[in-house]
């Protein structure tokens, strides 16, 4: 029988607490482990010393676990894809709790087939990711990061020229994915005097922004595209050379979604040829590896996919994650269940 470390629950008996299986610890568990330990017995597969497949097959605790806590990771090297193969090794599983917004690393279709609920971070990190999107956009337009380098390198003191930036007001911004994050980006940019339009899976009747079903049409009528949608088979590489060409030579791409939504190779080619004006990138196709070509571009701002990582957002994420687990174990409505195919 496999023995594995579990968290201890304060002065109580941890054996009386519901079991939550964790394949690899998400940041929110690392930061708030005491809070989780007060409520759940954490079954730490990563401390077993066994290959994952062997652990799942030989551990009675894993075989009887009904809840799985997981994380997509800043890069997939940080997390473990929740594939159909893993799901089928957990015969008692009833819920997968993701501490990230995106669930592209989870086989949601297989979960549905097996009757397993899937929940994500919900709205807990939307404000922070929206802030990051706006920050990247302003940085690209006003060349804030480039100006910082200019000063630090002594270029200002040497009276070297610095290129002009662009004002934010009156910019036409096309938001791709008008969900929790996209809506907040739109509200923030409206306050700056930007003109908002959007593309989403379907038109939202309650929204006054102009809807474009065709991405190239949206790009042609925009000065910038801000990507806030989820990654799935339909959105993978949907921002390609055709869309960028429609966006134009002064257009800006901001991506706070997933790296694979953008055809990175074609984006680099467009940047090199001057077919788009710049990019603010929070996500990349092969994280944490960033293409070398992007590192030397002054019109590109890079961020290590850390849009959700603020003190406040991780606190909120902890509450949502624990809330979903408690709702599941007490048979109450889940807080952020994925109801549609992503």
């Amino acid at each position: 029988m496999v023995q594995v470390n579990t968290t201890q629950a304060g002065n109580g008996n941890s054996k009386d607490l519901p079991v939550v299986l964790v394949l690899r610890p998400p940041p929110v568990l690392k930061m708030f482990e005491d809070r989780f330990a007060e409520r759940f017995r954490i079954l730490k597969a990563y401390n077993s010393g066994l290959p994952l497949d062997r652990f799942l097959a030989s551990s009675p605790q894993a075989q009887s676990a009904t809840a799985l806590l997981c994380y997509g990771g800043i890069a997939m090297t940080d997390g473990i894809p929740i594939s159909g193969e893993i799901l089928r090794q957990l015969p008692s599983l009833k819920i997968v709790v993701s501490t990230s917004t995106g669930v592209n690393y989870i086989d949601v279709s297989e979960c549905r087939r097996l009757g397993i609920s899937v929940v994500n971070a919900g709205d807990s990190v939307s404000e922070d990711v929206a802030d990051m999107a706006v920050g990247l956009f302003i940085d690209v337009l006003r060349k804030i990061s480039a100006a910082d380098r200019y000063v630090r390198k002594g270029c200002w003191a040497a009276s070297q020229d610095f290129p002009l930036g662009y004002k934010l007001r009156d910019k036409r911004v096309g938001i791709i994915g008008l969900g929790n994050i996209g809506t907040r980006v739109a509200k923030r940019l409206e306050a700056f005097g930007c003109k908002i339009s959007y593309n989403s899976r379907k038109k939202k009747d309650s929204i006054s922004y102009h809807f474009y079903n065709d991405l190239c049409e949206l790009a042609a009528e925009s000065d910038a595209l801000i990507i806030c949608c989820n990654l799935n088979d339909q959105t993978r590489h949907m921002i390609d050379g055709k869309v960028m060409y429609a966006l134009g030579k002064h257009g800006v791409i901001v991506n706070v979604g997933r790296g694979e939504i953008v055809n990175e190779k074609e984006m680099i080619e467009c940047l090199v040829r001057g077919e788009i004006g710049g990019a603010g990138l929070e996500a990349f196709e092969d994280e944490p590896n960033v293409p070398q070509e992007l590192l030397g571009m002054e019109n590109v701002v890079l961020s290590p996919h850390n849009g959700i990582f603020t003190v406040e957002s991780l606190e909120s994420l902890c509450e949502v994650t624990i809330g979903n687990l408690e709702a599941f174990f007490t048979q109450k409505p889940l807080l952020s269940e994925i109801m549609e195919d992503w």
Side-chain angles (χ1 to χ4, degrees):
M1 180 182 296
V2 172
Q3 299 295 322
V4 63
N5 292 337
T6 57
T7 57
Q8 298 301 313
N11 296 324
N13 186 352
S14 66
K15 292 182 179 180
D16 297 332
L17 297 173
V19 174
V20 177
L21 173 62
V22 181
L23 306 185
R24 189 169 294 176
V28 69
L29 178 60
K30 293 178 183 177
M31 290 187 65
F32 301 106
E33 187 159 351
D34 288 347
R35 295 194 200 178
F36 283 87
E38 291 171 357
R39 299 166 174 85
F40 316 107
R41 187 154 57 97
I42 305 299
L43 182 62
K44 301 177 178 179
Y46 50 94
N47 280 350
S48 71
L50 296 174
L52 181 59
D53 286 352
R54 184 179 168 192
F55 170 75
L56 294 180
S58 58
S59 167
Q61 294 168 304
Q63 290 288 299
S64 62
T66 57
L68 172 64
L69 178 63
C70 57
Y71 171 59
I74 296 176
M76 279 314 304
T77 53
D78 298 329
I80 294 176
I82 308 304
S83 62
E85 181 180 355
I86 285 180
L87 293 169
R88 290 187 288 273
Q89 291 181 76
L90 299 170
S92 302
L93 192 64
K94 296 299 179 186
I95 189 170
V96 175
V97 179
S98 171
T99 63
S100 54
T101 302
V103 293
N104 56 290
Y105 69 101
I106 300 172
D107 190 337
V108 176
S109 297
E110 184 66 7
C111 285
R112 294 195 189 288
R113 191 186 73 81
L114 296 172
I116 300 169
S117 297
V118 178
V119 296
N120 69 348
D123 210 16
S124 61
V125 298
S126 299
E127 299 282 354
D128 301 272
V129 178
D131 289 346
M132 176 65 78
V134 174
L136 287 170
F137 184 36
I138 294 174
D139 196 336
V140 175
L141 289 183
R142 296 305 311 269
K143 305 183 185 297
I144 297 171
S145 293
D148 178 82
R149 292 189 293 270
Y150 171 84
V151 173
R152 292 176 188 273
K153 290 178 180 179
C155 300
W156 188 26
S159 300
Q160 295 180 17
D161 291 338
F162 186 77
L164 293 173
Y166 293 90
K167 68 185 293 184
L168 187 59
R169 186 173 182 81
D170 293 327
K171 287 294 178 288
R172 302 167 302 161
V173 179
I175 295 177
I176 299 173
L178 201 68
N180 290 331
I181 295 170
T183 300
R184 284 165 170 76
V185 172
K187 289 180 179 179
R188 283 158 170 73
L189 290 177
E190 270 193 304
F192 281 101
C194 294
K195 300 171 182 176
I196 307 298
S197 54
Y198 74 101
N199 167 274
S200 204
R201 282 176 292 191
K202 56 186 178 181
K203 184 176 181 180
K204 300 178 183 292
D205 294 334
S206 60
I207 299 295
S208 61
Y209 308 136
H210 189 82
F211 171 76
Y212 287 91
N213 187 56
D214 185 272
L215 279 175
C216 285
E217 291 182 10
L218 173 65
E221 297 298 324
S222 299
D223 299 305
L225 295 178
I226 299 183
I227 300 161
C228 306
C229 62
N230 303 304
L231 174 65
N232 54 40
D233 290 340
Q234 289 71 46
T235 62
R236 190 180 305 275
H237 279 188
M238 72 176 183
I239 307 301
D240 56 14
K242 292 180 181 177
V243 174
M244 296 177 212
Y245 183 78
L247 182 61
K249 294 183 180 297
H250 298 292
V252 171
I253 289 175
V254 174
N255 187 7
V256 293
R258 296 289 185 177
E260 298 94 321
I261 296 170
V262 177
N263 187 318
E264 201 166 72
K265 182 181 179 207
E266 294 184 4
M267 178 186 66
I268 291 170
E269 291 173 354
C270 287
L271 285 164
V272 169
R273 294 196 300 259
E275 291 180 358
I276 58 174
L281 305 173
E282 146 94 340
F284 307 88
E285 284 204 56
D286 183 29
E287 298 176 1
N289 302 305
V290 177
Q292 192 68 30
E293 298 94 328
L294 294 174
L295 300 181
M297 294 182 177
E298 288 293 299
N299 58 341
V300 175
V301 179
L302 308 172
S303 179
H305 209 156
N306 65 345
I308 74 167
F309 290 115
T310 66
V311 172
E312 295 86 355
S313 70
L314 286 179
E315 177 78 31
S316 178
L317 179 57
C318 177
E319 293 176 4
V320 169
T321 303
I322 289 175
N324 271 316
L325 286 167
E326 288 185 329
F328 167 71
F329 286 119
T330 58
Q331 298 182 344
K332 294 179 180 178
L334 299 171
L335 304 183
S336 54
E337 185 170 8
I338 302 298
M339 303 303 295
E340 301 179 50
D341 291 332
W342 282 40

